[in-house]
Amino acid sequence: MPERSFVERAVAHADVNALRLSLYQITRDPEIASIVPRRVYGAVADTVSFAVEDEELIRRKAVELLLTGAPAEEELPEPTASEIDELIQMLEGRRLEPPELTLRRQIPSFGDMPFQARWTADPSVPDGYHVAIVGAGIAGIAMGVQLAQLGIPFTVYERRSEVGGVWSINTYPDAGVDTLSATYEYGFEKKYPWPAYFARQADVRAYIEHVARRHGVFDRISFGSDVRVARFDDRSQDWTLTVSREGQPDQIVRADVVVAASGIFATPRDLPIEGAEGFAGDVVHTARWHDGVDCTGKRVAVIGNGSTGVQLLSKVAETAESVTVYQRTPQWISPRANYGVPIPDELQWLIGALPFYWNWNKYVAAMGTIELRNVLTTDARWIEGGGAVSERNDDLRALLTRYIEHQVGGRRDLVDQLVPDYAPMTRRPVVDNNWYASLTRPNVELVSTAIDRIEETAIVTADGTARETEVILAAVGFQTEKYVWPTAYYGEGGVSLEEVWRPQGAQAYLGMTVPRFPNLFLLYGPNSQPVAGGAGLPTWFEIWSRYVAQGIVAMLEGGHASMAVRQDVFDRYNEELHAEAQKLIYLSEHSTMKRNYYVNEFGRLQMNAPWTGERFFEMCEALQVSDYHFTAASTASPRELLTARIH
């Protein structure tokens, strides 16, 4: 047992609300139960606070429990759903209605495999049955874990030489997550020792590989394998994949089911500026960063001020002779407590030593986004009274404006360029990585005048000013509208998925399935990211991969060869989705950007599921077989059908 001083430091670092719930769940101490937190209004979401004497009591009791020896977690009973509901309401300090608890009770992730699909009968997988997963990022690994648990054979095809997906591709300085590490993890991989409150790129990639190795996925990954084409065979009711490997002839492989987990951050945008190809220096897209990129002592241009550009500026500015930041559109960039701060060793110890702290800390970390949708809707009465959007959104605008002013020392030349003229949250939120403060450095210049062209050694803006440049860092993002790129998918009758999506942009049922594309499932497909997720994105990958696995189980148990979402179900869902999207500020007059990360060229919401997190979870929790057409399995073996198709 560590010394008292160590334990006291550990408890001092811990979140007091997560401590309170852990203590009560272990001890059922009535004195802990009697503590009622005060709900505090926040611009994004309400929080809770405690009286000083109550917080001192909670921390003192936690120290004593840890010093006397907390029971082993495996010796304690897993809470029932009703007990979890009781504890959540205790944590939030308010009563919640049953519909508000459907997603909330999933967030603490109790149980070994909280989102695992199950067989309803004895498992029966035909010889030769195989699932192809395209992409070994955080989505593909979640799908692999589902199938490994079910005993369903699969192969993960990954075009890179390592796992990680976007966390393998993006190695630019200070790349990392903009959500707490406690929410950016799977619910089945508990108490992972994250080194920082907000994990950096290398740590996230290492986590994904750790999970892949531990849960039986890593050895089923085919690295350096680029799935170029996938065709559905109407006769055999399965898929043929054309897989390219460097230096080898293309390989044709068969799969009963294909799960496209290539993600939306797979295809970098080109630098759309005249003359870029003639630039004499280095032009580096941030997604193509490599060890040879050297900005030391050089005149550097950073084009773009989204998440990537904001993350890298501080590090680049430390060594460059000068940095010119070209800003096309101002962003609402927000602070995060503990961003860039390592998790203390004492707290790491407490997470492992105190039962249920990990679960409730995960919930506390997610609380701020559970009701985020409230910031994304307009309030007619508020507007009638002279407000712009809603009380919360307007308060958020004021808070972020004050933050900008403070970070740049009140410099009007910067404030006037940096404060956006549109409502917060209408563009993708960006987390500040010392970006605003870096703009005040003597070697950093902010330019808001549009770029006219790039010359051999300079960037020329629309006012005719030419700034000598040696390195261009293109932080211009990804082609997020290309959900399954670069694989070309062909469904029933040879129809191309790209052709199906061309008239209005990408659409899917629950973000996962498309009519006429049997046995093809998408992870992180169109309109899949909840506007108010509560649970972190890895948890949603677990939820979606369970849904996909439920479909595979339904086919196998029902003797079906294929399943495809019904056209009427698909149409009705997307009509409801787009009607619901009209209620959000993304498509309102409060957004000056009619096409961005959230909205496609057709004026449709493309990224988010517009419902509350609870409603979207209910839709994705259990696959409804009535939503799908099922086709009976052929009596011919997969090998016989493959031979017939090839010949």
Side-chain angles (χ1 to χ4, degrees):
M1 173 60 63
E3 294 182 354
R4 173 178 283 271
S5 60
F6 180 94
V7 175
E8 288 175 343
R9 289 196 302 274
V11 169
H13 286 302
D15 179 87
V16 67
N17 212 356
L19 272 181
R20 180 175 67 112
L21 267 290
S22 306
L23 286 173
Y24 181 70
Q25 191 174 344
I26 295 166
T27 66
R28 294 289 167 170
D29 183 341
E31 194 173 14
I32 293 293
S34 68
I35 297 173
V36 179
R38 181 172 65 90
R39 290 193 61 81
V40 180
Y41 171 86
V44 175
D46 290 348
T47 57
V48 298
S49 68
F50 295 86
V52 172
E53 59 272 20
D54 289 337
E55 181 171 338
E56 290 175 348
L57 175 66
I58 293 166
R59 295 195 190 278
R60 185 169 64 250
K61 282 180 175 282
V63 169
E64 296 308 319
L65 177 64
L66 287 164
L67 285 173
T68 56
E73 192 161 316
E74 56 269 21
E75 297 173 359
L76 297 168
E78 184 180 324
T80 64
S82 61
E83 288 171 336
I84 295 172
D85 291 352
E86 171 200 352
L87 291 165
I88 286 171
Q89 293 174 96
M90 180 178 172
L91 184 146
E92 293 207 24
R94 59 173 170 167
R95 176 176 172 76
L96 295 164
E97 297 302 318
E100 297 176 293
L101 288 159
T102 54
L103 175 61
R104 279 175 165 86
R105 74 171 66 101
Q106 313 299 322
I107 296 172
S109 299
F110 289 103
D112 292 338
M113 302 295 295
F115 300 99
Q116 179 60 45
R118 308 290 179 189
W119 295 97
T120 63
D122 292 335
S124 178
V125 182
D127 291 341
Y129 195 88
H130 207 79
V131 177
I133 302 171
V134 182
I138 200 161
I141 299 306
M143 191 70 243
V145 171
Q146 283 281 348
L147 298 178
Q149 290 288 317
L150 290 166
I152 296 173
F154 66 94
T155 299
V156 183
Y157 295 95
E158 170 54 53
R159 59 180 171 174
R160 296 177 65 80
S161 60
E162 62 181 10
V163 302
V166 67
W167 299 110
S168 168
I169 295 169
N170 288 276
T171 61
Y172 60 84
D174 261 6
V177 296
D178 53 11
T179 58
L180 282 161
S181 302
T183 66
Y184 204 83
E185 57 187 353
Y186 302 114
F188 59 79
E189 186 61 29
K190 296 173 170 57
K191 303 184 180 182
Y192 183 79
W194 292 107
Y197 288 99
F198 292 81
R200 294 302 188 192
Q201 171 269 331
D203 299 319
V204 181
R205 202 213 66 77
Y207 170 77
I208 297 170
E209 180 167 333
H210 164 81
V211 171
R213 290 184 182 277
R214 184 176 181 187
H215 293 274
V217 178
F218 192 85
D219 291 340
R220 305 187 198 188
I221 302 174
S222 176
F223 291 107
S225 299
D226 191 1
V227 180
R228 304 299 301 171
V229 180
R231 295 182 183 277
F232 183 74
D233 189 294
D234 294 340
R235 176 170 174 255
S236 59
Q237 296 290 294
D238 59 8
W239 287 85
T240 299
L241 280 59
T242 302
V243 182
S244 295
R245 295 184 175 90
E246 187 175 356
Q248 300 179 31
D250 286 353
Q251 182 181 7
I252 305 300
V253 299
R254 172 198 162 275
D256 294 273
V257 174
V258 177
V259 181
S262 48
I264 59 172
F265 302 112
T267 308
R269 290 196 185 281
D270 295 328
L271 186 60
I273 300 173
E274 178 188 343
E277 66 283 353
F279 182 67
D282 294 327
V283 179
V284 184
H285 191 290
T286 52
R288 298 188 177 100
W289 196 275
H290 54 85
D291 292 340
V293 180
D294 184 11
C295 298
T296 304
K298 296 182 179 178
R299 291 165 293 184
V300 179
V302 177
I303 300 177
N305 61 329
S307 294
T308 300
V310 168
Q311 285 183 346
L312 63 79
L313 175 62
S314 179
K315 286 292 185 185
V316 170
E318 289 176 2
T319 61
E321 176 187 318
S322 66
V323 182
T324 305
V325 178
Y326 291 90
Q327 171 186 270
R328 184 176 63 178
T329 305
Q331 300 271 18
W332 289 111
I333 302 173
S334 61
R336 291 285 192 279
N338 290 322
Y339 193 78
V341 177
I343 296 175
D345 292 341
E346 296 92 335
L347 182 55
Q348 295 280 20
W349 171 82
L350 182 142
I351 292 169
L354 184 61
F356 310 127
Y357 179 84
W358 178 88
N359 306 86
W360 293 115
N361 185 59
K362 187 178 179 71
Y363 189 95
V364 170
M367 274 182 66
T369 63
I370 293 174
E371 296 180 343
L372 186 61
R373 194 175 184 275
N374 293 335
V375 186
L376 301 172
T377 54
T378 57
D379 183 337
R381 286 190 177 181
W382 180 260
I383 294 170
E384 288 173 4
V389 179
S390 67
E391 182 177 10
R392 283 194 192 274
N393 195 285
D394 289 2
D395 285 349
L396 179 59
R397 180 196 291 264
L399 184 153
L400 294 177
T401 300
R402 290 194 298 272
Y403 178 72
I404 294 171
E405 293 170 345
H406 177 265
Q407 287 294 300
V408 301
R411 282 179 50 181
R412 291 313 310 177
D413 61 316
L414 289 176
V415 172
D416 291 344
Q417 294 181 79
L418 293 171
V419 176
D421 61 359
Y422 56 87
M425 305 301 292
T426 53
R427 290 171 64 88
R428 188 176 187 271
V430 178
V431 175
D432 189 17
N433 187 35
N434 206 37
W435 188 79
Y436 286 128
S438 295
L439 297 177
T440 67
R441 293 176 60 111
N443 67 330
V444 177
E445 179 186 12
L446 175 66
V447 175
S448 297
T449 306
I451 296 174
D452 180 69
R453 64 189 184 278
I454 296 175
E455 295 182 343
E456 185 176 5
T457 61
I459 295 178
V460 182
T461 47
D463 60 3
T465 304
R467 292 173 175 84
E468 291 295 313
T469 307
E470 296 169 277
V471 179
I472 296 175
L473 304 182
V476 293
F478 296 83
Q479 299 180 55
T480 53
E481 68 277 7
K482 294 186 174 180
Y483 282 91
V484 294
W485 193 265
T487 305
Y489 289 92
Y490 297 91
E492 292 177 337
V495 62
S496 162
L497 185 58
E498 188 174 352
E499 292 174 5
V500 169
W501 281 347
R502 185 173 292 123
Q504 298 184 78
Q507 297 183 88
Y509 176 57
L510 300 176
M512 288 184 274
T513 60
V514 181
R516 301 176 67 190
F517 288 84
N519 291 13
L520 173 64
F521 297 93
L522 316 177
L523 292 181
Y524 212 14
N527 298 108
S528 59
Q529 182 166 291
V531 294
L537 192 56
T539 296
W540 281 99
F541 285 136
E542 291 183 79
I543 294 166
W544 297 325
S545 64
R546 176 177 63 182
Y547 183 96
V548 174
Q550 288 171 344
I552 296 172
V553 166
M555 283 191 286
L556 291 172
E557 291 186 342
H560 306 299
S562 66
M563 59 183 291
V565 65
R566 290 166 37 196
Q567 186 70 52
D568 63 319
V569 170
F570 174 90
D571 291 341
R572 183 169 59 251
Y573 172 81
N574 279 284
E575 287 169 6
E576 293 174 357
L577 184 152
H578 293 302
E580 190 71 18
Q582 299 303 317
K583 302 175 184 178
L584 304 179
I585 58 176
Y586 304 126
L587 303 177
S588 74
E589 67 275 13
H590 305 289
S591 172
T592 59
M593 303 303 298
K594 295 307 180 185
R595 183 182 179 186
N596 58 37
Y597 175 81
Y598 293 124
V599 181
N600 68 16
E601 62 183 303
F602 305 100
R604 287 175 172 266
L605 193 66
Q606 71 168 6
M607 183 61 57
N608 294 112
W611 297 280
T612 64
E614 290 88 350
R615 172 82 191 284
F616 192 48
F617 172 73
E618 289 172 349
M619 295 177 182
C620 301
E621 183 177 14
L623 182 138
Q624 303 298 315
V625 295
S626 59
D627 291 341
Y628 291 86
H629 292 297
F630 287 85
T631 302
S634 168
T635 56
S637 70
R639 183 174 297 277
E640 289 170 337
L641 288 170
L642 178 61
T643 301
R645 187 163 68 251
I646 292 174
H647 293 91

